[in-house]
Amino acid sequence: MCGIVGYVGHRPLLPVLIEGLRKLEYRGYDSAGIAVVHDGQLGIRRSAGKLSRLEDVLKARPVQGDYGVGHTRWATHGRPTEENAHPHRDCKGRIVVVHNGIIENYLELKRTLVDQGHRFITQTDTEVVAHLVERETREDGLVAAVRRALSHLRGLFALVLISADEPDTIVAVRNGPPVIVGLGDNEYFVASDVPAVLSHTRQIVFLDDNQVAVISRAGASFSTFEGEPVVREPQTINWDPVMAEKAGYEHFMLKEIHEQPWAVRETVLGRASVESNQVFLDEEMKLDADALRAIDRVVVLACGTSWHSALVGKFLIEELARLPVEVDYGSEYRYRDPFVDARTLAIVITQSGETADTLAALREAKKKGGRSIAICNVVGSMATRESDGTVYTHAGPEIGVASTKAFTSQLVALQLLAVHLAQVRGVLAPERAGELLRGLDRLPVQIEETLKTDRVIQELAERLYRKRDFLYLGRGINYPIALEGALKLKEISYIHAEGYPAGEMKHGPIALIDEDLPIVALAPDNHVFEKMVGNIQEAKARGGQVIVVTNASHADAFDGIVNPNTDVVLTVPDADPLLMPILLTVPLQLLAYHIAVRLGCDVDQPRNLAKSVTVE
């Protein structure tokens, strides 16, 4: 949600903070601010709106600093105004805090602090922390005051604090939302996510929950909330900092759509042997073959786009590994009493590895005795540390809020995991495994071929961008892709769109169809192709405008069904039906992107959304 960055070291401070905030602006862009200390004096600059507004403020009112913190906000408590922008101060203006998360008992604490004489000037829950630390300050310093304050806080939160009275010291706290510490050469960083510090260091420590980090020019130390020292080894992050730049593309989202051939290739690399027809997932898998053979049931837990990949995973695992699979929203799972035992495998899917609801669902499954595997894009993130095994996606940093390459990489990881489970259980013929693995090997080139539809899709977007409703239809393993296509359009263009299994059309959605409703129909060659063609004919009979996405060898089947003056047939290369969801995804991403661009929407930072939902 919110983005946090802090720095102490030998570099000029403001460029480090602003650059870090720019890399984190996808986490929040309602307002931004910095706090710096120079010669014992605290300087704060804040602004409502995006980071560029803060940069304008800094040009008009420059400030110097030796160490400091910055913040981009995604508003929860209080409107996105300059007054509510972080950082927030105590009464004396000596202690500063930036915050990601929610302080659940802030009203109770605020009433107590007001009764004790503290003066509040914002509507935020964050300001409570500054006053609470002020109240708890003694001669033992900032770190001890923070620890005492923590005992009064309830909720999920990440905090970073500085004090004008403690030179060159930054205190960071994690209880839920992510916090990373970057270790440089006589310089130290703290941030919400890796891209903020990648241009300076690749040595990263991921804080665990209930841990405190203290960084200064002398180094970094780690401890529990209670003060017990903790030894933390840094992880080496292999992402190239250039990967987090736009590289000439107009938007990060477009760049990341075009990076999908590379991301798919990297996710498969070293894991699939077309010579032996085997999948190898041993690098981060603590569950051996015997443990996996003992599994008799799978539950896949995810949120948002990852939930759509989970639905595809259900089809893959049930067909290939012959295991029953349940898919659940991470945000709902822990609020019932789910059935889990030692023979249940919980697969959690999360790009960041820090999604609060998905982590809570993982912990619920583990508490009940289940085994666990994470599918994740971030090495060392919380989901990977708490699971019994990890299948990493190697998509690199994804900056655009609407997930693209992370989603297709998740689908590839699920393919690999499904084949691996099937082989461990001895239920997949080597010949079939070979077909799928050779198909995965061809996918990067096929995605590149699919990306060549971009010009046709731009022209289609020009025709459709004024529409206010869309219907997306698919069957079988492809209906989750219809859901994902509709979500992409909603996220970045603010156009209402619904995804449905095509067989459900006659159970309600068909009432919506008229000549003004575009219908995106996914109709590749598979065992339900003829039924999908029938659904398209039903839509055409009611005047619907149809965009068919099919594979090249079956495009002729729609001659005489679609109207070349109003309808469009988009083609993707022929592929195995189980791999087809990956190829079908790409035209839907491009369609959503070009419609949003034509409407003038902020594609990379759509309103009200943040990249990683690290609070409930």
Side-chain angles (χ1 to χ4, degrees), residues 135-153:
R135 188 189 73 181
E136 298 298 328
T137 297
R138 316 277 191 274
E139 292 183 358
D140 51 2
L142 177 64
V143 178
V146 170
R147 291 192 200 284
R148 285 190 287 269
L150 289 173
S151 67
H152 298 281
L153 299 178

Side-chain angles (χ1 to χ4, degrees), residues 550-616:
T550 187
N551 46 309
S553 63
H554 279 59
D556 291 347
F558 297 96
D559 292 346
I561 297 175
V562 300
N563 182 339
N565 297 317
T566 59
D567 305 323
V568 173
V569 177
L570 300 172
T571 61
V572 300
D574 292 341
D576 190 287
L578 295 188
L579 300 174
M580 189 56 70
I582 299 168
L583 294 175
L584 294 177
T585 296
V586 176
L588 306 192
Q589 295 170 343
L590 289 169
L591 180 62
Y593 170 79
H594 286 301
I595 288 176
V597 169
R598 186 62 184 81
L599 287 168
C601 298
D602 191 337
V603 172
D604 287 333
Q605 298 173 353
R607 68 188 184 204
N608 302 333
L609 295 178
K611 180 65 180 172
S612 180
V613 183
T614 56
V615 296
E616 186 178 10

Side-chain angles (χ1 to χ4, degrees), residues 5 68 120 125 221 233 312 350 409 470 540 554 593 600 607 613:
V5 63
F120 285 78
D125 55 339
S221 62
E233 295 297 326
V312 175
T350 163
S409 297
F470 278 69
K540 288 303 301 173
H554 279 59
Y593 170 79
R607 68 188 184 204
V613 183

